[in-house]
Amino acid sequence: MNAPATTEPPVVVIGAGPTGLAAAVHLIDRGIEPLVLEAGATAGAAVRDWAHVRLFSTWGEVVDPAAEKLLARTGWTRPAPETYPSGGDWAEQYLRPLAGALGDRIRLGARVTGVSRSGRDRIVDADRDQQPFVVHIAHADGREERLFARAVIDASGTWSTPSPAGADGLPALGEKAAADRIAYRVPDLEDPAVRARYAGRRTAVIGSGASAFTALTSLAGLARSDDGTGTTGVWVLRRGLSGSTFGGGEADQLPARGALGLAAKAAVDEGYVDAVTGFRTEAIERDAHGRLVLAGEDGRRLGAVDEVIVLTGLRPDLGFLDELRLGLDDRLRAPIGLAPLIDPNQHSCGTVYPHGHRELSHPEPGIYLVGMKSYGRAPTFLAMTGYEQVRSVAAALAGDLEAADRVELTLPETGVCGGAGLFDDPAAAQADTGGCCATPEPTVVRLAAGAPADGGAAGGCCSS
């Protein structure tokens, strides 16, 4: 098969999630034909995997403005902008009709297995930029296909590649062997089978972000219910407690996110969850009764638990882009121009400003990583950030650099992720709280009721 000689190939968009569908709409608005390739059986397949989780952004913040205009022509009306959708609401009430409006520009069950330049592997310079991209696809029915693209926008996200429990970025010893007792998603406790798995049992939650807050809050809700008596949790943090551990609280400009952190704090305050700080998991072992024991790098061992929920973040799958010349930060695996703006070692989320095609560019012209994937391993991505990214990229591909460089988004202040050099640093975080727990035993924290949500000590690390 040879590259087409007379017709310009489309811009291939990988992923039919919120950012990918928005990219297609912005391309159409610019007179550029998109082709969206989605590995799942439906648009928004990854979002549907967490259908039970409620977003902390409102409907007014998770609908792309250009997509809303397209949908309005079909008679679609956005739900009340001040209300909060669940993942299922977002997928069914927005992504499904948007995919319908885009029609046959979307191919489902089409997994991208490789992207390169036609006739050029990554080491070949000759006429490289003059060649179209070639995209290899594996279809759900087993067929393989090869097609050409003038540019590629990778909005495939990071959902399929969760990070492991091991603090060094590798699976903890024994983690794979204990897979039957480990989950890497927030459990849907409205599902009877899932509810039965956790009810009356002790569960360790490893992680410090919004997903961990959601899991802790859900477990506490189960413990309060009639069928959840005896349900307990242990929250395993690699860093110590600080004023920002539970997020921005009432100061968060996304109120639902602030409330989520406060709900997680209440789960600890009320005794449904113990918090163990400064613990870096090295191994997951089984005791004589088949329960799981977490062993730390410093020799500490936690009391046995029945289940483990690992919510240590997500990471991008870059394997199918290996023949392209990407410029990625060594640490975050985000585009080099974007990484300094989102590095949790340096910034709170409130200091990240909107960005576009220039920060997302690579040595290989015409390839863009957008949406969650653009953040690499950095946390707390917002949907409206992705919409601004693809608006800028579409304008750049159309040659309208004035529009591409224009900022059309104001992000809310958050202040909920690491920041100020304290990200994942147990010593620094405990110093922030006046910590006093240099001890070889696991530090179990019970916060005093009514402790402040941010600022000052939120219950010393030596309290019991």
Side-chain angles (χ1 to χ4, degrees), residues 210-365:
S211 294
F213 291 169
T214 302
L216 294 168
T217 303
S218 298
L219 289 170
L222 177 59
R224 296 184 188 104
S225 68
D226 292 340
D227 63 341
T229 302
T231 302
T232 59
V234 55
W235 185 20
V236 182
L237 294 117
R238 293 172 182 169
R239 52 184 171 180
L241 290 175
S242 73
S244 63
T245 296
F246 295 96
E250 294 179 358
D252 197 324
Q253 290 186 16
L254 291 176
R257 178 173 49 200
L260 178 61
L262 293 176
K265 181 177 180 298
V268 178
D269 288 346
E270 296 169 16
Y272 296 110
V273 174
D274 296 326
V276 177
T277 62
F279 190 91
R280 297 172 180 267
T281 306
E282 179 182 70
I284 300 177
E285 304 167 354
R286 290 187 189 264
D287 68 9
H289 304 287
R291 303 179 78 202
L292 301 183
V293 176
L294 303 186
E297 292 182 346
D298 57 3
R300 293 185 290 166
R301 296 165 62 84
L302 303 186
V305 298
D306 301 289
E307 301 285 343
V308 176
I309 302 174
V310 179
L311 299 169
T312 53
L314 303 165
R315 53 183 61 179
D317 176 9
L318 300 167
F320 63 85
L321 301 176
D322 193 51
E323 290 304 317
L324 297 178
R325 298 174 177 180
L326 301 181
L328 297 174
D329 177 76
D330 287 340
R331 293 173 299 165
L332 297 184
R333 309 308 287 159
I336 288 174
L338 175 59
L341 311 182
I342 62 175
D343 186 348
N345 291 290
Q346 302 296 328
H347 298 281
S348 76
C349 301
T351 63
V352 177
Y353 64 84
H355 50 273
H357 73 110
R358 295 192 187 278
E359 292 86 355
L360 298 170
S361 64
H362 294 273
E364 189 87 66

Side-chain angles (χ1 to χ4, degrees), residues 21-223:
L21 295 181
V25 174
H26 284 280
L27 290 168
I28 293 168
D29 280 355
R30 289 287 178 172
I32 300 172
E33 191 62 22
L35 176 61
V36 182
L37 302 175
E38 167 59 46
T42 183
V47 175
R48 291 178 184 276
D49 278 351
W50 48 271
H52 58 290
V53 177
R54 190 159 301 279
L55 281 73
F56 49 64
S57 296
T58 64
W59 272 113
E61 296 160 334
V62 298
V63 173
D64 176 76
E68 184 171 8
K69 291 179 182 178
L70 173 63
L71 284 169
R73 296 198 288 269
T74 71
W76 183 84
T77 302
R78 180 180 61 183
E82 71 280 1
T83 60
Y84 295 89
S86 66
D89 296 334
W90 200 19
E92 189 61 25
Q93 299 178 41
Y94 172 60
L95 300 179
R96 184 185 61 78
L98 181 55
L102 292 169
D104 59 8
R105 293 184 173 98
I106 300 176
R107 295 188 189 177
L108 301 175
R111 180 178 299 279
V112 173
T113 58
V115 182
S116 187
R117 290 282 187 177
S118 179
R120 308 289 188 274
D121 65 24
R122 67 181 297 158
I123 69 172
V124 177
D125 291 334
D127 298 324
R128 184 178 189 84
D129 294 352
Q130 306 305 311
Q131 306 305 314
F133 289 94
V134 60
V135 181
H136 285 219
I137 307 165
H139 291 275
D141 61 6
R143 291 182 299 112
E144 292 184 310
E145 183 181 3
R146 180 172 179 258
L147 54 81
F148 296 94
R150 58 170 284 194
V152 175
I153 299 175
D154 183 357
S156 60
T158 56
W159 180 249
S160 63
T161 46
S163 295
D168 50 16
L170 302 174
L173 299 178
E175 183 170 347
K176 294 179 180 178
D180 61 318
R181 296 287 188 92
I182 301 176
Y184 296 87
R185 311 294 187 211
V186 175
D188 180 4
L189 296 183
E190 296 304 311
D191 182 317
V194 176
R195 193 175 183 87
R197 175 174 177 175
Y198 296 96
R201 293 181 169 85
R202 185 163 178 81
T203 299
V205 177
I206 305 176
S208 60
S211 294
F213 291 169
T214 302
L216 294 168
T217 303
S218 298
L219 289 170
L222 177 59

